[in-house]
Amino acid sequence: MQIMKKNKLQIGMIGCGVIGSNIFDIISKRHADVYKDHLVVKSIIVRDIEKKRDLNLLGTKISNDISDVVKDNEIDLVIELMGGEEIAFDYISKCLMSGKHVVTANKEVIAKRGSELFKIANNNSVELRYEASVGGGIPIISSLGNDFSSNKISGIRAIINGTTNYILTRMSDGTSPFSEILKDAQKLGYAETDPTADVEAFDPIYKIIILSNLAFGINPDHNLIYREGIKDIKSKEFIYAKELGFAIKLIASAQKFSKKLLIRVHPALIPKDIPMANVNSSLNMIEVNGYLTGPLWFQGAGAGAETTSSAILNDVFRIKDEISKSEKQKTKIFPEDLQLLSMDMHECKYYLRITVKDKAGVLARLSKILGDNGISINTVLQKDTDVKFNNAELVIMTHKANEKIMMNAIDNIEKLNDVVKFDSLLRVEEY
Ligand SMILES: NC(=O)c1ccc[n+]([C@@H]2O[C@H](COP(=O)([O-])OP(=O)(O)OC[C@H]3O[C@@H](n4cnc5c(N)ncnc54)[C@H](OP(=O)(O)O)[C@@H]3O)[C@@H](O)[C@H]2O)c1
């Protein structure tokens, strides 16, 4: 790393949207008295230079040509806030290769191309920091990178998508459907116009990959990880889950089993008395299980301009303060060589909701299929009998079972003449 003796860092910014404009506002206006002696934003790269921006640029140059930053030898550090993969990778790597430190909030490029970028940073003796990419202002990246080096980590489990947590919290009273709440989330600015990354759970996949890399030194292809979003969850599930003593949350988990690591992202039932069940609205929580520490919970606002800006500026100042190599995220006393474990091997209790013909012997036939697969039932609730169609709704909580065996049992259950519809399957988290 270049040892920086300069008092004032010259910054280049790529992207000036929600986060970029907030950072610029903090540095140049709101907290200019604090920052003016330390940082100056020399250039900003955007996509559209004609766009009207509510910023007083003063002496800052605005451009759509990345070489205005890359070729400017006075710029020491670049903050990348444009998002996405391909172009971001190209711009970040060019900045690193030209000897500039980079701070980014971009989880997608770090999850997909991080190992290439870290290599480029290393080869050019510069820093690449990404605290804001997971958990907004929660200092989880630096904690995992620095404070667990003498600890083995057995697992990480997290609520790391504020948008879906807001939607699930609103759905928890069972009165409003997903589609209606998603529209509200978009109006409030929690969800983007295209909500795919959140509701289809790509965003938490990228984040759990980043955390897994820090905790376990594994950097798997995101396509290999079990991913299930929240858009198919029905309001009813929240009412029944509550009655059974659970909340429903979108969980991202990386759990070690001997020499293998199971990474999964899906909605799950969380027992009501566990802190994670009470992390509501757009809050995030990350649980880290260290062999020596036991479970540690990091909770806070997982997104938003102010908290994200806090994480970015902390990274900027860490670089400015000449973080020594020995403190960097790579030093682990327990290096591990883990392989990905298939979701087929996952074991948990299951919540099943099934619409059946309301006639004698149905439950016995369902129980037989589960029993033949070695799956035992814990609780059965009979709900919402539909007199007109002579249908009944069964909610079944099972004891612990294996994922592959459960999927096989469900295939057989769906073939039963008595089954009108297999409505829902949710996994229960164990604590
Ligand atoms: N928003 C949050 O709460 C939050 C929280 C944590 C992390 N993050 C991460 O922070 C990053 C920025 O998010 P944001 O919400 O600020 O995004 P945003 O509002 O969409 O802003 C994106 C900025 O990037 C610029 N840009 C896009 N494509 C470009 C290109 N090809 N060349 C140059 N500039 C380009 C855009 O330029 P124009 O202005 O000209 O369109 C815009 O200024 C993302 O990686 C995001 O995942 C965001």
Side-chain angles (χ1 to χ4, degrees):
M1 177 185 170
Q2 286 175 352
I3 301 296
M4 215 167 298
K5 294 289 173 208
K6 300 162 72 167
N7 286 330
K8 202 160 174 168
L9 270 191
Q10 306 247 5
I11 307 272
M13 274 176 43
I14 308 175
C16 195
V18 175
I19 307 296
S21 55
N22 195 58
I23 293 267
F24 186 79
D25 192 55
I26 290 173
I27 295 176
S28 63
K29 190 168 139 200
R30 257 190 300 149
H31 299 296
D33 52 336
V34 181
Y35 288 101
K36 70 176 184 324
D37 295 335
H38 302 282
L39 314 173
V40 60
V41 180
K42 195 164 181 229
S43 295
I44 303 176
I45 305 298
V46 292
R47 183 172 31 201
D48 177 6
I49 48 171
E50 304 297 332
K51 195 189 256 184
K52 229 177 138 1
R53 294 171 204 276
D54 188 18
L55 295 174
N56 185 354
L57 288 167
L58 301 166
T60 303
K61 179 176 179 176
I62 193 150
S63 152
N64 57 6
D65 182 356
I66 189 65
S67 59
D68 283 336
V69 162
V70 173
K71 290 190 178 155
D72 186 336
N73 292 331
E74 288 184 350
I75 290 180
D76 309 288
L77 185 149
V78 175
I79 307 177
E80 184 275 308
L81 297 167
M82 61 180 277
E85 183 193 350
E86 291 295 338
I87 305 176
F89 176 83
D90 181 46
Y91 287 4
I92 293 173
S93 51
K94 280 182 174 142
C95 291
L96 295 170
M97 282 188 274
S98 67
K100 299 177 194 327
H101 304 284
V102 174
V103 170
T104 179
N106 184 336
K107 64 228 134 199
E108 184 173 357
V109 80
I110 293 294
K112 291 182 176 171
R113 313 287 295 273
S115 48
E116 292 166 74
L117 289 172
F118 293 124
K119 224 175 259 169
I120 299 172
N122 240 8
N123 290 343
N124 289 279
S125 306
V126 287
E127 287 269 336
L128 169 61
R129 289 197 163 261
Y130 52 100
E131 182 65 70
S133 64
V134 182
I138 303 171
I140 187 65
I141 302 287
S142 57
S143 294
L144 276 178
N146 298 313
D147 304 332
F148 284 85
S149 48
S150 64
N151 239 285
K152 278 192 184 187
I153 292 171
S154 59
I156 292 177
R157 185 159 37 188
I159 294 171
I160 35 176
N161 182 272
T163 307
T164 48
N165 203 41
Y166 168 81
I167 294 172
L168 293 177
T169 305
R170 285 274 315 274
M171 285 180 86
S172 67
D173 65 5
T175 56
S176 312
F178 169 81
S179 52
E180 197 178 292
I181 297 170
L182 174 61
K183 276 188 203 138
D184 288 348
Q186 284 167 323
K187 268 188 228 149
L188 285 165
Y190 287 139
E192 297 186 19
T193 320
D194 176 3
T196 313
D198 293 325
V199 301
E200 302 272 9
F202 288 102
D203 172 277
I205 284 271
Y206 299 146
K207 291 170 176 169
I208 195 73
I209 288 176
I210 293 173
L211 299 181
S212 299
N213 193 3
L214 282 165
F216 308 106
I218 189 168
N219 198 3
D221 181 335
H222 71 283
N223 293 306
L224 299 177
I225 293 173
Y226 183 79
R227 175 181 57 79
E228 189 182 312
I230 65 160
K231 71 178 183 353
D232 295 327
I233 306 182
K234 304 285 177 294
S235 306
K236 269 184 185 179
E237 260 54 85
F238 292 87
I239 297 169
Y240 299 159
K242 201 179 270 178
E243 192 176 326
L244 291 159
F246 295 96
I248 300 177
K249 298 287 175 191
L250 181 66
I251 293 294
S253 166
Q255 179 82 38
K256 205 161 73 178
F257 296 92
S258 182
K259 283 285 183 195
K260 299 213 166 169
L261 186 74
L262 176 60
I263 309 182
R264 56 192 168 89
V265 175
H266 56 79
L269 268 63
I270 313 286
K272 260 198 315 227
D273 56 344
I274 296 295
M276 205 166 263
N278 301 301
V279 175
N280 290 325
S281 195
S282 61
L283 284 179
N284 281 197
M285 179 183 267
I286 300 146
E287 173 193 298
V288 181
N289 271 288
Y291 280 91
L292 303 176
T293 59
L296 297 175
W297 284 296
F298 297 77
Q299 182 184 332
E306 291 291 90
T307 49
T308 307
S309 299
S310 154
I312 292 162
L313 289 167
N314 285 340
D315 274 349
V316 170
F317 275 88
R318 272 177 176 256
I319 293 175
K320 190 172 188 296
D321 289 345
E322 304 164 25
I323 303 289
S324 73
K325 265 209 153 87
S326 59
E327 266 184 271
K328 275 171 66 180
Q329 286 136 11
K330 314 253 154 27
T331 317
K332 276 205 79 89
I333 291 178
F334 300 107
E336 297 183 82
D337 183 17
L338 295 174
Q339 291 181 339
L340 265 196
L341 185 64
S342 156
M343 186 67 178
D344 281 352
M345 304 301 289
H346 182 49
E347 286 190 357
C348 66
K349 298 172 182 171
Y350 291 83
Y351 162 107
L352 313 173
R353 179 163 65 84
I354 309 167
T355 306
V356 296
K357 294 267 172 239
D358 192 7
K359 62 183 187 189
V362 176
L363 184 58
R365 285 188 280 282
L366 278 176
S367 307
K368 181 168 184 325
I369 292 180
L370 292 172
D372 288 348
N373 283 279
I375 301 165
S376 54
I377 292 176
N378 182 344
T379 317
V380 179
L381 306 176
Q382 179 159 344
K383 294 287 180 187
D384 275 8
T385 303
D386 182 339
V387 182
K388 188 171 163 207
F389 292 102
N390 198 32
N391 290 343
E393 194 175 50
L394 296 177
V395 173
I396 299 175
M397 292 293 295
T398 73
H399 285 290
K400 211 167 170 177
N402 164 273
E403 176 89 6
K404 190 171 181 190
I405 293 173
M406 177 56 84
M407 294 305 147
N408 182 48
I410 288 165
D411 277 351
N412 292 330
I413 286 173
E414 282 178 322
K415 285 177 196 147
L416 274 182
N417 286 335
D418 304 319
V419 169
V420 178
K421 188 168 169 237
F422 187 89
D423 299 288
S424 214
L425 171 148
L426 289 165
R427 298 167 188 85
V428 180
E429 286 296 306
E430 202 179 338
Y431 287 84

